[in-house]
Amino acid sequence: MLFLPAAALCCLCSALVAMAADLIQDDLTLTRRVGENVSFSCRGTDQCSSSYPYVFWYQKKDTETFTRILYIHMTNGNVDKGYNHPQKDDFSVVRTNNGCELKIQKVQLSHSATYYCSCWDDTHMCFTVNVMIFGSGTKLFVTDEQVVKPVVSVYPAASRAHLEGKSSLLCLASAMSPPLVQFSWKRQKNGRLEDLPPAAGERLELREPRRTASILLLHQQERSTYKYRCSVKHEGGTVRAQTEHDVSTLPSPTTAATATPTSASTATPPAVPSASPTPAPSADPPADPPAALVLSQYQVKLLCVLYTVLIVKSLVYCCGLSLLMILRNKGPSTNCTHAD
């Protein structure tokens, strides 16, 4: 019983760690020509540790691991580049009102990478172990190509999910430069537009060069209730699909394979990107991955907490068993007297 408070505290700390907030990097990508300057912003540093107020910047190239560039002391503004980064002299960092900015004065091809900010967060401390939180990262493209907004289209996706009382929508972003985009789904009912909660559906992203698709799988209780809208965030700006979809109008399983897009410029939708080359399409729609395999962010956090609870439970059981074995091996007390 003495271990129960410690176990409860450990579970609580694990839950807090799983739900720790991230730093905010507003730019998904930045595109520059050689010789231009660039700045990477990082907000939300007010949640960083007050006893260790440092913000670190990392560089991550596609074929390499994370490399620390420098850090800045958010209280006095001191900067330390003592990490032997090969390009450390190309970088500088300054404080802003709500965070800091990493700067490169003259961009070179070798600067092409993704840049992350991070700091220690002691508000989620568990047994004197702090949590390091990161931003989502900003990828720098060094190229002469112009920034081109994506073309966004929404289609009713033919899927076996229809047989299970579910519906699916496919949002396709294509012909953009740079190729990275971020999808967001919203729903509308009675004229009110709101973000789609994680419990309302599950999402899957498929990527190919210059094409990315987001598949939204809606549960049965969501049907015939909302209209859905897809938006795509890109360096060139946020692009919204021209039409909204009412799930109640989606085709039945027998007609899904021949459904036509409502927002495409042609009668035949473009090929859906996939993780690997696929054979030519047949008359039957391809099988989609089971919905149970597409885990939402909250499901992953719940699994982390559950895994921690199981570990703590095993630890408590082992400690209790060890205590019983110790008491059993002591034998009878030596203070007892025996009659002759």
Side-chain angles (χ1 to χ4, degrees):
M1 297 301 291
L2 295 177
F3 296 99
L4 292 180
L9 179 59
C10 184
C11 295
L12 177 60
C13 291
S14 300
L16 291 175
V17 167
M19 294 184 289
D22 295 330
L23 297 178
I24 301 171
Q25 292 183 251
D26 295 312
D27 298 312
L28 182 65
T29 63
L30 290 172
T31 302
R32 295 291 186 272
R33 292 184 174 90
V34 173
E36 295 182 341
N37 59 70
V38 66
S39 298
F40 306 93
S41 64
C42 179
R43 298 189 295 111
T45 56
D46 54 338
Q47 61 185 317
C48 298
S49 170
S50 58
S51 58
Y52 198 70
Y54 299 96
V55 173
F56 303 87
W57 280 94
Y58 293 85
Q59 182 188 66
K60 171 67 173 68
K61 296 188 177 182
D62 291 339
T63 58
E64 299 177 9
T65 186
F66 283 81
T67 305
R68 183 176 289 182
I69 305 171
L70 51 78
Y71 71 76
I72 180 172
H73 194 291
M74 294 302 294
T75 303
N76 55 34
N78 290 339
V79 178
D80 189 344
K81 300 182 180 180
Y83 296 104
N84 297 323
H85 191 281
Q87 300 169 313
K88 63 181 181 180
D89 294 332
D90 298 341
F91 297 92
S92 61
V93 61
V94 295
R95 291 178 296 172
T96 59
N97 292 334
N98 54 358
C100 63
E101 288 186 356
L102 180 71
K103 298 177 178 289
I104 305 176
Q105 292 301 324
K106 292 185 178 181
V107 170
Q108 303 297 325
L109 286 174
S110 57
H111 294 138
S112 299
T114 304
Y115 294 86
Y116 297 86
C117 61
S118 70
C119 69
W120 291 101
D121 181 6
D122 58 7
T123 61
H124 303 284
M125 188 164 53
C126 180
F127 300 115
T128 69
V129 178
N130 290 350
V131 178
M132 178 165 270
I133 56 177
F134 283 79
S136 56
T138 299
K139 186 164 187 176
L140 174 63
F141 289 89
V142 182
T143 178
D144 291 331
E145 293 185 12
Q146 296 290 332
V147 175
V148 180
K149 289 184 179 182
V151 177
V152 180
S153 304
V154 179
Y155 306 92
S159 171
R160 288 186 179 179
H162 289 279
L163 302 177
E164 303 173 1
K166 299 180 181 180
S167 300
S168 54
L169 293 174
L170 183 145
C171 183
L172 178 65
S174 58
M176 61 276 189
S177 178
L180 290 185
V181 294
Q182 186 177 62
F183 291 91
S184 64
W185 289 90
K186 294 182 181 292
R187 65 185 185 183
Q188 183 175 1
K189 182 179 181 181
N190 299 328
R192 180 183 177 184
L193 192 65
E194 62 182 14
D195 292 329
L196 191 68
E202 300 169 26
R203 307 176 209 189
L204 175 67
E205 286 194 11
L206 304 173
R207 297 182 182 271
E208 278 189 354
R210 294 186 180 274
R211 291 187 301 178
T212 304
S214 173
I215 299 176
L216 176 65
L217 184 64
L218 298 168
H219 301 307
Q220 185 175 11
Q221 61 268 24
E222 297 293 325
R223 298 193 61 180
S224 306
T225 306
Y226 296 94
K227 290 184 178 180
Y228 294 87
R229 176 185 299 174
C230 174
S231 298
V232 177
K233 180 181 177 182
H234 184 260
E235 183 178 344
T238 299
V239 181
R240 190 178 68 188
Q242 295 298 317
T243 60
E244 299 175 352
H245 269 275
D246 187 345
V247 181
S248 61
T249 63
L250 291 183
S252 62
T254 57
T255 61
T258 59
T260 57
T262 61
S263 61
S265 57
T266 60
T268 304
V272 178
S274 59
S276 59
T278 56
S282 61
D284 296 329
D288 288 343
L293 296 180
V294 186
L295 297 180
S296 68
Q297 180 181 4
Y298 291 94
Q299 288 175 313
V300 173
K301 292 179 179 179
L302 182 59
L303 289 176
C304 291
V305 175
L306 179 60
Y307 184 67
T308 303
V309 171
L310 293 177
I311 293 177
V312 173
K313 182 179 178 181
S314 300
L315 180 62
V316 172
Y317 177 78
C318 292
C319 292
L321 186 61
S322 300
L323 183 61
L324 290 176
M325 294 295 295
I326 292 173
L327 295 176
R328 180 178 178 183
N329 293 334
K330 279 188 174 182
S333 175
T334 56
N335 295 329
C336 297
T337 58
H338 302 278
D340 293 338

